[in-house]
Amino acid sequence: MSLDPALIKEEEKPKSPGMKYTHYAPTGEMWIVRGKEQAVIDKINQLANQMINEGKKVGVLTLREHEKEILKADLVLGYGSKNNLHPLAVHLYDALRTFDQQKIDYILVEGVGEAGIGLAIMNRIKKAAGGKMIDV
């Protein structure tokens, strides 16, 4: 995939060995998109469209209330909501396995707030994505 480098801001290098490894990483390349809610949805739609036009199979992991806003993707999975992230925490690894079973090339994940259970979710998602993030 040829993402415009100006659109991507990757996190700093890991500060400790436990932070540098990917864990439970799916086969497809995974990117986290985070920022203001509508900007995240718009960026996911833009990237999904770009990847599909390149002939790639695209999956999106988003919150339930945003499922219908994802306009073009081969597989959209929605778990949890802004007010209840627990279902996302419970089903995260199932979702990643589902993307693998469907042979998804690129996975775009809507980032969540890093407070409470969101901190644990983002930690797992960051490791699964190998730290690949797009800030919008």
Side-chain angles (χ1 to χ4, degrees), residues 16-109:
S16 70
M19 295 174 64
K20 73 178 184 176
Y21 303 110
T22 59
H23 294 286
Y24 306 103
T27 304
E29 187 172 333
M30 186 168 151
W31 288 84
I32 303 164
V33 183
R34 64 184 184 172
K36 294 202 183 272
E37 197 171 306
Q38 191 58 52
V40 167
I41 299 305
D42 292 345
K43 178 56 72 178
I44 287 173
N45 280 320
Q46 175 192 4
L47 294 172
N49 188 52
Q50 176 184 342
M51 292 176 209
I52 288 171
N53 287 340
E54 292 176 8
K56 304 299 180 188
K57 200 166 177 185
V58 177
V60 175
L61 179 58
T62 188
L63 297 174
R64 282 229 183 258
E65 55 261 59
H66 298 142
E67 280 180 285
K68 292 183 176 128
E69 295 180 66
I70 304 302
L71 303 176
K72 192 172 186 183
D74 296 290
L75 179 60
V76 178
L77 300 177
Y79 293 108
S81 71
K82 293 181 281 189
N83 300 319
N84 181 10
L85 295 174
H86 190 273
L88 176 57
V90 169
H91 296 288
L92 176 61
Y93 296 124
D94 289 336
L96 297 181
R97 282 191 290 278
T98 299
F99 289 130
D100 278 348
Q101 291 166 352
Q102 297 297 316
K103 300 187 181 344
I104 298 295
D105 298 307
Y106 290 96
I107 302 163
L108 300 169
V109 179

